[in-house]
Amino acid sequence: MIKSIQLQNILNKKTKRHVIFQSLLLIFIIILTGELIACEKPSSISDASDVVIQYLEALKNNDNTTLQLLNNEDSDIITDSEVTLGVISLTIDKVEVSDNRTQRIKEQYTGSDLAKSYGWSDNYIHDNLIAVYAEYTVDYDNTKVPYDEGKITQYFYLVRTNSNSPWRIWASSYDISD
């Protein structure tokens, strides 16, 4: 009889341990899921600047593959993997979001036929279009490419699908008037 009671106590302890283990495992899974959801943050304005920096670094390294990844599918920037970029050197001086140019491009595209042709609503333009200003110095091998070189000032226009997707370069311009 004593052995039977001891056996029941041991089984009860094992059952309690098993329930405690399952409870701790469930708590761990809930916390991990919460952390993963929290890490899925919207792409921020600084991410847009980072994309332009990555683009210029890829240009510096003649890395067509990365350039293609950073461009939006509708991009007007040529990144044919067969094209030689001919960059000898490139130094980034300044990259920052341009609030003035962003406001101007949003006003220009809001309600426009061009925006409609891309399927962009006014809300989409307001939330997912940004202008980034870049100053850099570049030296090209002019036997390979006929690009302007020296001190370059350029605006990059970036778009994203939604606030959780990465920024991609859609267009650029060398017009520096604000």
Side-chain angles (χ1 to χ4, degrees):
M1 173 103 165
I2 292 178
K3 286 186 179 188
S4 172
I5 293 173
Q6 287 176 341
L7 182 60
Q8 285 178 345
N9 285 340
I10 290 172
L11 291 175
N12 283 339
K13 287 180 182 178
K14 284 185 179 180
T15 303
K16 287 179 185 177
R17 286 183 191 151
H18 187 66
V19 170
I20 291 172
F21 176 74
Q22 287 178 336
S23 298
L24 289 174
L25 183 61
L26 181 61
I27 291 169
F28 175 75
I29 291 171
I30 291 170
I31 291 171
L32 182 62
T33 303
E35 290 294 322
L36 290 174
I37 290 170
C39 288
E40 224 177 88
K41 62 179 172 119
S43 56
S44 68
I45 289 173
S46 65
D47 291 341
S49 295
D50 290 343
V51 168
V52 172
I53 290 169
Q54 291 172 21
Y55 177 87
L56 293 172
E57 289 292 333
L59 187 63
K60 174 182 178 178
N61 297 322
N62 292 286
D63 181 358
N64 279 317
T65 303
T66 299
L67 292 174
Q68 288 173 337
L69 291 173
L70 295 173
N71 283 310
N72 187 10
E73 59 193 37
D74 297 324
S75 176
D76 69 353
I77 298 173
I78 299 171
T79 57
D80 186 347
S81 61
E82 300 299 316
V83 173
T84 300
L85 300 173
V87 176
I88 295 171
S89 68
L90 188 146
T91 305
I92 300 170
D93 301 316
K94 182 179 187 179
V95 175
E96 64 185 12
V97 170
S98 172
D99 294 330
N100 290 341
R101 188 55 68 107
T102 297
Q103 184 60 33
R104 200 156 68 182
I105 194 90
K106 286 180 179 183
E107 288 171 3
Q108 182 180 350
Y109 280 90
T110 298
S112 74
D113 289 336
L114 185 57
K116 290 175 187 169
S117 73
Y118 283 113
W120 296 352
S121 68
D122 291 349
N123 284 337
Y124 172 83
I125 292 168
H126 180 268
D127 296 337
N128 301 296
L129 179 63
I130 197 166
V132 176
Y133 174 78
E135 288 179 9
Y136 58 97
T137 305
V138 64
D139 183 26
Y140 288 105
D141 179 347
N142 295 122
T143 64
K144 294 181 180 179
V145 294
Y147 302 143
D148 289 338
E149 56 187 14
K151 183 93 166 169
I152 305 291
T153 54
Q154 186 173 6
Y155 284 95
F156 292 88
Y157 304 101
L158 286 75
V159 293
R160 60 186 177 183
T161 305
N162 58 53
S163 63
N164 290 321
S165 63
W167 290 104
R168 295 290 181 244
I169 297 172
W170 171 63
S172 69
S173 120
Y174 292 101
D175 177 10
I176 61 167
S177 61
D178 248 348

